[in-house]
Amino acid sequence: MSERHVCAKENSVGPGERTGAEVGVLVSVMDHMYRRTVGAGLPIAGDEESDNPSSQARFALRKENWLSILDGIGLCALAVEKNGIISRANKTVSRLLARDTNSVIGESITHILPELSQASSLSDRLTQVAGSGKSQDMLARHGGGRDIPVTATISHSIHDDDHRFLVVLHDQDQKENTLDQLLRTDRFLTDIMDSFQLCAFEWDMENDDVRFQGSWQQAFNLKAPSGSSSIQWLLDQLHGEDHGLVLKELRDLRKNATYRMECEARIQPGVGPERWVLIRAGNRVDEQGKAQRIVGAVLDITSYKSAEEQSEQIVKDDALTGLPNRQYLLSHIQTNCRRGDFALVVIDIDRFRHVNQSLGTWVGDDVIRILAERIRHRIRKDDVVCRLSGDQFAILIHDAKDDAHIHEQIARIRRRIGETVNLGAGVTVNLDINAGIRCWKDITNEDPEDLLRDAIIALRSAKEYPSGKIMEYSDELQQKMMNAALFEKDVRSAFRNRGIEAFYQPVIETRSGHPTGFEALARLRHPERGIIAPADFIPLAEETGLINDLAREIIRQSTQQLAAWRKQYPSLPPLTMAINLSPAQFDDDWIIDEVKRALQETGLQGADLKIEITETLLMDNIAGTTRILDQLRALGIQVCIDDFGTGYSSLSYLRNYSFDTLKIDRSFISQITEDPRHAELVRTIVQLGQNVGMNIVVEGVESHDQHSLLTELGCHFLQGFLVAEPLDARDATDWLRRWVT
């Protein structure tokens, strides 16, 4: 007979009562382990083999497993909500009650135990029975319609909100097997407690006796008293600083001030360093509500505490650089910057995305680590540097009494950042920074989040003015940002409500003046500002991810309009429609599907469309752009290089890709009739394009003299205000009608 069985005899306590108490402890601890391991992804104390999340989850068990454990020992178990509704049940329900397990879920417990329906308040009745800690003889409704005698044990369930009860039913008709079954249950629970290294105690209030059971030796190398003892033994094992807390919680249980306690404390094992433990206990009261017993458990949670400390460190530190992170910065400002002169400088690395795009994110991470160290060694001892995200850092400057001091700090960091970064294998990068500054004196009326927001606003403004690089926050910047936010709201509203509209600028044949097609240009109709040009909203659309929606809408409108003109004016030569695409449209192949859909819906052919791209797009992503352009050309679509001559290496693009059309930028045309050098430059570009088989379109033509000279120079097509400004669909239709008539 085991030590636990001996204790049972000495206490003159039946195995049913012992089993009921231990089941409550076991269920409570299993739930705690679930919440702190599976729920948080943490390891389990004493689980030497659980090195991966899946094994940890299997060891910790799922929440439903406590039902399965009771199932295995022949007890029918039901999880009941505070309102009496059954939320979970185990398989013994079908064996004991001839009811399908799933069918009882959602029913009231009164359908199983009709006697409970006699109470004026079902919730109060469940709470009363659970608080008594005693089993009740009741009649349970069998699936066949008859009532069978059962012993019902109702206890508070495993959830801290106390909104559930555990109802365990045992068939009274099997009395001859009860003792044997309960003894098997006792052994089963012993094995379970050993597996979990669970330590338990039971405190008899009437005799002031405490019985310590479980794995004290295995878990803590402590030899628990074998017989009747005092709660003082447990208190003596605790760290002195935790002694008072645990004692107070136990006293509250004893006085019935509460009926459950849970606290964390440190315990000193027989051998080795101190361990963190979770102590959970609940009281059992008599019919008068007086506490009779306290049943509790002690569980080693040292590994959890270690993981929590690591989590706290992770919360404060950036994993890539080891610098403090955003949360630490805000906390530091709140705690340490209440009085004095301070400056918060937020910097980012200019054009850092090109490092990631050209060299890869792994190299980018190495660069970030190098730059973090450079910044760390360029700040004063009392100042703080943090990594906010990506390539963005924050520097908190203490004792920032004047602008000169702040700008000197930034200049020192900027010089260090600008030094060549050697990445090995002959690869080097040179970088620069943008900076936004927010100064303040005393933080009495300032929130750290607002200070950081202001510094980021200043940084964004600095990036808008590359010649400045450094910008200090002001109320004007804040107002500008608010206006931008309102404008962004209007832009989003326009996209949702079809406020984006395609305008059409005609393209004519230079010598005859006959229309050959149109260029589709996006316009936004603003409720107050009227028609807004692309330069004012396309950058915002790119930044906010709306640019693809813009492209879809312009493709849809322009192809439908071209198809309509084909039907309306069949006598005209076939017109083409040129559509501009931005770099965002070349991130993946979605644009191909969009164009195919438009051709299919309108009946147009690929040759009816032209796609215009800029040199900048090729410069940023030549490989990806070329791949998508090849797919467009496979559909018969012509490809035009727009704004030719404004890039850094225009001729190399003509060499590397075969374009159908070259569009000369308007900047070459404005002085063509006044300056012979401009005219000669245009002549050279025209001849170059013709020699490689490209059509030439000239933008920005505004006078008849320019038209005449461009005709003489051999340009094929032109567009500009001399022909027509961009027109909405109705005005463009009227313009075409005049040509037809």
Side-chain angles (χ1 to χ4, degrees):
M1 186 175 292
S2 70
E3 177 185 350
R4 291 166 58 83
H5 295 157
V6 171
C7 292
K9 289 185 66 178
E10 290 175 351
N11 280 324
S12 301
V13 178
E17 295 183 37
R18 287 172 48 75
T19 300
E22 290 164 357
V23 165
V25 171
L26 179 62
V27 168
S28 178
V29 172
M30 287 178 64
D31 178 65
H32 177 80
M33 293 186 71
Y34 171 84
R35 290 185 290 108
R36 299 198 62 158
T37 54
V38 179
L42 301 177
I44 300 169
D47 182 18
E48 304 298 339
E49 300 179 358
S50 58
D51 293 332
N52 59 73
S54 61
S55 64
Q56 293 170 12
R58 287 195 300 271
F59 185 84
L61 306 178
R62 296 173 299 182
K63 276 194 173 182
E64 291 81 359
N65 277 14
W66 60 269
L67 289 173
S68 301
I69 289 174
L70 297 177
D71 209 3
I73 57 180
L75 296 176
C76 171
L78 306 163
V80 180
E81 302 295 317
K82 191 173 183 179
N83 59 5
I85 299 300
I86 300 170
S87 58
R88 292 203 298 276
N90 66 2
K91 294 179 181 178
T92 306
V93 169
S94 62
R95 295 197 296 270
L96 178 63
L97 303 177
R99 301 280 297 272
D100 180 69
T101 302
N102 293 326
S103 70
V104 302
I105 296 176
E107 289 187 2
S108 172
I109 188 62
T110 58
H111 293 171
I112 303 293
L113 300 173
E115 181 180 328
L116 294 176
S117 63
Q118 300 173 9
S120 58
S121 170
L122 178 58
S123 175
D124 291 345
R125 176 60 175 156
L126 290 170
T127 301
Q128 179 187 4
V129 177
S132 71
K134 293 184 177 181
S135 299
Q136 307 258 337
D137 291 338
M138 295 184 177
L139 293 177
R141 185 63 47 84
H142 191 272
R146 60 189 176 89
D147 290 336
I148 61 172
V150 297
T151 298
T153 302
I154 302 176
S155 61
H156 287 286
S157 186
I158 55 182
H159 296 273
D160 292 334
D161 56 11
D162 300 321
H163 285 179
R164 289 183 184 153
F165 300 90
L166 172 62
V167 178
V168 179
L169 305 179
H170 182 69
D171 188 356
Q172 290 185 5
D173 289 339
Q174 298 180 351
K175 290 182 179 179
E176 67 278 7
N177 298 322
T178 297
L179 181 59
D180 181 61
Q181 185 176 20
L182 288 176
L183 289 175
R184 290 201 309 271
T185 298
D186 200 30
R187 289 194 295 271
F188 180 80
L189 290 175
T190 299
D191 293 339
I192 289 293
M193 294 177 76
D194 288 343
S195 297
F196 281 95
Q197 293 190 15
L198 177 64
C199 304
F201 63 91
E202 185 175 6
W203 189 357
D204 185 339
M205 298 289 100
E206 184 176 354
N207 301 317
D208 199 23
D209 288 337
V210 179
R211 298 282 176 173
F212 293 98
Q213 299 144 355
S215 303
W216 294 94
Q217 184 71 38
Q218 184 181 359
F220 305 113
N221 199 28
L222 291 173
K223 184 173 180 56
S226 59
S228 174
S229 184
S230 166
I231 198 65
Q232 189 63 42
W233 180 85
L234 174 61
L235 298 174
D236 288 343
Q237 313 309 317
L238 301 180
H239 190 288
E241 295 179 0
D242 302 328
H243 183 283
L245 170 64
V246 176
L247 180 59
K248 177 184 181 301
E249 294 283 347
L250 289 170
R251 282 176 174 172
D252 287 343
L253 276 179
R254 187 169 187 173
K255 292 186 297 184
N256 209 28
T258 61
Y259 63 88
R260 177 176 298 172
M261 66 166 279
E262 177 178 315
C263 63
E264 295 177 355
R266 288 159 292 179
I267 196 169
Q268 183 62 51
V271 177
E274 66 183 20
R275 311 286 291 177
W276 276 97
V277 296
L278 171 76
I279 303 175
R280 301 188 86 189
N283 58 20
R284 302 294 183 262
V285 298
D286 58 20
E287 295 179 356
Q288 287 74 39
K290 182 180 178 181
Q292 286 186 318
R293 292 181 299 147
I294 293 177
V295 179
V298 178
L299 180 67
D300 188 343
I301 60 169
T302 305
S303 59
Y304 307 141
K305 297 296 290 186
S306 176
E308 287 176 357
E309 291 172 0
Q310 294 175 16
S311 299
E312 291 177 0
Q313 190 67 20
I314 291 171
V315 168
K316 294 179 181 178
D317 290 349
D318 171 60
L320 179 62
T321 64
L323 294 176
N325 63 11
R326 183 179 187 274
Q327 192 59 43
Y328 175 86
L329 173 68
L330 297 174
S331 176
H332 182 84
I333 293 175
Q334 183 71 40
T335 306
N336 301 288
C337 302
R338 309 300 299 182
R339 293 289 185 271
D341 298 295
F342 301 93
L344 180 60
V345 181
V346 176
I347 68 172
D348 71 4
I349 312 303
D350 196 24
R351 294 173 63 84
F352 180 75
R353 66 184 181 91
H354 293 292
V355 175
N356 280 333
Q357 291 174 353
S358 59
L359 301 177
T361 55
W362 290 108
V363 175
D365 287 347
D366 288 339
V367 172
I368 288 295
R369 281 189 284 264
I370 292 170
L371 298 183
E373 282 301 306
R374 291 184 175 185
I375 298 172
R376 190 203 304 266
H377 289 97
R378 281 296 182 274
I379 64 171
R380 299 177 308 172
K381 181 180 179 181
D382 293 337
D383 296 338
V384 178
V385 58
C386 303
R387 181 177 180 233
L388 299 179
S389 63
D391 62 329
Q392 198 171 85
F393 297 86
I395 302 160
L396 180 62
I397 301 176
H398 292 252
D399 194 25
K401 293 183 178 180
D402 56 67
D403 291 346
H405 168 68
I406 298 169
H407 282 267
E408 174 55 32
Q409 284 273 74
I410 297 173
R412 187 161 56 246
I413 292 171
R414 187 177 181 185
R415 286 193 297 270
R416 185 68 177 103
I417 293 292
E419 295 176 9
T420 300
V421 179
N422 191 336
L423 299 172
V427 179
T428 61
V429 293
N430 292 88
L431 300 165
D432 198 358
I433 65 170
N434 304 294
I437 307 169
R438 173 61 159 94
C439 300
W440 74 92
K441 180 179 178 63
D442 301 341
I443 197 176
T444 306
N445 297 318
E446 297 283 1
D447 183 88
E449 288 275 8
D450 293 339
L451 295 170
L452 179 58
R453 177 206 62 200
D454 295 346
I456 293 174
I457 289 174
L459 172 65
R460 291 176 180 172
S461 298
K463 295 174 70 171
E464 292 177 5
Y465 302 98
S467 59
K469 292 289 185 183
I470 300 172
M471 187 75 68
E472 186 170 345
Y473 173 82
S474 65
D475 291 339
E476 290 75 15
L477 285 182
Q478 171 71 358
Q479 186 60 48
K480 178 183 177 183
M481 190 64 64
M482 291 178 62
N483 293 338
L486 292 174
F487 181 59
E488 177 181 341
K489 179 182 177 182
D490 292 339
V491 170
R492 290 184 181 277
S493 176
F495 275 87
R496 288 193 301 268
N497 301 311
R498 295 291 178 89
I500 298 297
E501 184 176 345
F503 273 49
Y504 306 95
Q505 187 168 29
V507 179
I508 65 171
E509 200 275 328
T510 305
R511 294 189 178 277
S512 67
H514 291 166
T516 62
F518 291 85
E519 179 182 1
L521 301 167
R523 296 291 186 270
L524 185 148
R525 288 192 179 273
H526 191 275
E528 298 176 358
R529 297 166 57 178
I531 297 295
I532 299 178
D536 293 332
F537 69 86
I538 283 184
L540 178 60
E542 290 178 332
E543 182 181 343
T544 56
L546 295 171
I547 191 66
N548 288 346
D549 293 332
L550 172 65
R552 289 188 183 94
E553 186 63 20
I554 296 302
I555 291 172
R556 184 189 68 82
Q557 291 186 30
S558 61
T559 52
Q560 289 180 357
Q561 186 60 65
L562 181 60
W565 284 333
R566 288 281 182 86
K567 293 179 181 179
Q568 191 172 357
Y569 304 116
S571 61
L572 281 175
L575 300 174
T576 61
M577 183 67 69
I579 300 171
N580 293 277
L581 295 182
S582 75
Q585 270 83 60
F586 287 80
D587 287 342
D588 53 50
D589 295 349
W590 73 270
I591 191 67
I592 306 299
D593 296 333
E594 204 64 38
V595 171
K596 286 181 179 178
R597 184 182 299 109
L599 294 176
Q600 183 178 8
E601 291 177 353
T602 59
L604 296 174
Q605 302 298 313
D608 299 327
L609 299 183
K610 295 182 178 181
I611 295 297
E612 296 189 0
I613 66 170
T614 64
E615 296 178 56
T616 303
L617 191 153
L618 286 169
M619 180 176 64
D620 286 345
N621 185 15
I622 188 168
T625 301
T626 300
R627 179 177 55 81
I628 293 179
L629 290 179
D630 287 342
Q631 295 181 64
L632 291 171
R633 294 192 75 178
L635 298 174
I637 296 171
Q638 301 178 59
V639 178
C640 312
I641 184 166
D642 196 10
D643 300 334
F644 182 80
T646 60
Y648 293 104
S649 51
S650 301
L651 294 180
S652 68
Y653 300 128
L654 298 184
R655 182 186 70 239
N656 294 330
Y657 195 84
S658 178
F659 294 96
D660 299 291
T661 301
L662 184 153
K663 296 188 74 172
I664 300 177
D665 186 70
R666 66 183 68 244
S667 61
F668 288 86
I669 307 303
S670 59
Q671 301 295 320
I672 192 173
T673 57
E674 288 82 17
D675 190 335
R677 293 178 301 176
H678 284 241
E680 191 59 34
L681 188 57
V682 171
R683 184 195 304 275
T684 301
I685 296 175
V686 170
Q687 291 176 350
L688 175 65
Q690 291 174 340
N691 290 341
V692 294
M694 289 191 294
N695 292 317
I696 308 298
V697 179
V698 181
E699 300 177 296
V701 180
E702 298 182 357
S703 70
H704 289 287
D705 290 342
Q706 291 173 341
H707 183 187
S708 299
L709 182 54
L710 291 170
T711 303
E712 179 185 331
L713 294 176
C715 296
H716 303 128
F717 309 98
L718 57 85
Q719 67 183 105
F721 283 7
L722 177 65
V723 180
E725 63 184 13
L727 307 168
D728 62 21
R730 184 171 63 180
D731 290 342
T733 301
D734 292 341
W735 184 89
L736 270 181
R737 184 182 298 112
R738 290 197 297 271
W739 277 100
V740 173
T741 57

